[in-house]
Amino acid sequence: MGLGRGQPGLLMPPVLLLICLRLGAGLEHIDYVPQLSSATLAGALTQSTFTLEQPRGQFSHLSISDLDPIWLVVAHSNAFRNFTAPQRVEDTPVPADFPQRGYYLTLMANRALYPRSQPVSQLRVLRVGNDTGCSPTRRGCNAPLPGPGPYRVKFLVMSDKGPVAETEWSNDTHLLQAEALQATSGPQSAGAVVIIAILSVLLTVLLAALLALLIYTCYDTCGSTSISERGESVCMRRYKPHHLFSPPPAVRGS
């Protein structure tokens, strides 16, 4: 009897363990690692954005419905292990929480937007940090990334009851830095300086020639003294009308 009375107490920890394991198993794992875009796109990697391949055909599991939102989780590489999936939509972290939490959710979609096959002409990438006009406090805002990183991302499927499934975390992504951009344009900078110097000299010579031409024209046109009247200066040319002068009288002989 004493043992019987003690059995519920002995069985309680295993029961609680099974409940915890069942709750933890509710988040389905998707064997997919987000990848940077392999397409040769201009600006695929900038100082505040990077481009991902779309996870086409990765959310066809039975536990995921067409209405379940699929979020992209963006995290600092030193904070992705601290990520905890929100249990309610109201608890979704926004870009304004990024400095404090180290992660946020953006680019909400659904699996209808990630079909397994798409037309060849359709762009199949996701650009992270591409929206410069959204408010960082707005849920789902795709605001520019604040620094060079590195960053890691993964996809998280939510429902009205909480998280449903998640993918693997991506590898580290480093954004471009100003120093790197200057280094890439270094070999061209010397030639640019020479061209700018030559253009500056030519512009100076041209301005000097125009100024000399202007001075010569003014001197040639207004080569006389100036007449001042009521504070104004007028240039006049000297000339001698021939009809004002008569030839000297002829000398008569005696």
Side-chain angles (χ1 to χ4, degrees):
M1 293 295 293
L3 183 61
R5 291 178 181 178
Q7 268 187 335
L10 293 174
L11 293 176
M12 187 62 66
V15 170
L16 290 177
L17 180 60
L18 289 175
I19 293 175
C20 292
L21 291 175
R22 184 174 297 275
L23 290 175
L27 188 60
E28 185 176 355
H29 176 72
I30 300 175
D31 188 17
Y32 173 77
V33 179
Q35 301 289 331
L36 290 176
S37 173
S38 57
T40 56
L41 298 175
L45 197 66
T46 68
Q47 296 185 58
S48 59
T49 66
F50 62 89
T51 306
L52 296 172
E53 293 284 350
Q54 288 187 4
R56 301 188 305 275
Q58 299 297 328
F59 305 104
S60 57
H61 299 68
L62 295 177
S63 60
I64 303 174
S65 70
D66 293 338
L67 300 179
D68 290 340
I70 303 172
W71 294 90
L72 179 70
V73 184
V74 181
H76 282 299
S77 291
N78 58 359
F80 77 97
R81 298 184 187 279
N82 301 329
F83 172 75
T84 55
Q87 300 301 314
R88 302 181 306 168
V89 177
E90 294 78 9
D91 300 331
T92 302
V94 296
D97 301 324
F98 199 30
Q100 180 179 3
R101 294 191 181 186
Y103 54 83
Y104 66 96
L105 274 60
T106 185
L107 291 175
M108 186 186 71
N110 54 61
R111 69 179 182 182
L113 298 177
Y114 301 138
R116 185 171 296 276
S117 61
Q118 287 182 331
V120 178
S121 59
Q122 186 174 351
L123 193 62
R124 306 177 181 180
V125 297
L126 298 174
R127 193 180 293 273
V128 183
N130 193 42
D131 192 353
T132 59
C134 69
S135 172
T137 59
R138 181 173 63 83
R139 188 179 302 116
C141 173
N142 189 24
L145 297 168
Y151 300 98
R152 290 197 178 195
V153 297
K154 74 174 179 179
F155 291 94
L156 175 68
V157 184
M158 298 281 294
S159 70
D160 54 354
K161 298 180 181 180
V164 176
E166 65 178 356
T167 66
E168 299 277 1
W169 285 100
S170 69
N171 297 322
D172 288 354
T173 298
H174 297 263
L175 302 184
L176 297 182
Q177 302 183 38
E179 293 78 6
L181 293 176
Q182 293 175 1
T184 55
S185 61
Q188 302 176 358
S189 60
V193 170
V194 172
I195 293 175
I196 293 174
I198 294 175
L199 292 178
S200 300
V201 172
L202 292 177
L203 182 60
T204 303
V205 172
L206 179 61
L207 291 177
L210 290 176
L211 182 60
L213 180 61
L214 180 62
I215 293 174
Y216 174 78
T217 304
C218 182
Y219 180 78
D220 183 65
T221 304
C222 307
S224 64
T225 58
S226 60
I227 302 175
S228 298
E229 182 181 357
R230 296 181 181 179
E232 298 181 355
S233 297
V234 180
C235 294
M236 295 182 62
R237 175 186 291 273
R238 287 195 181 97
Y239 66 96
K240 298 179 181 181
H242 61 85
H243 65 274
L244 295 180
F245 298 90
S246 58
V251 180
R252 295 181 181 180
S254 54

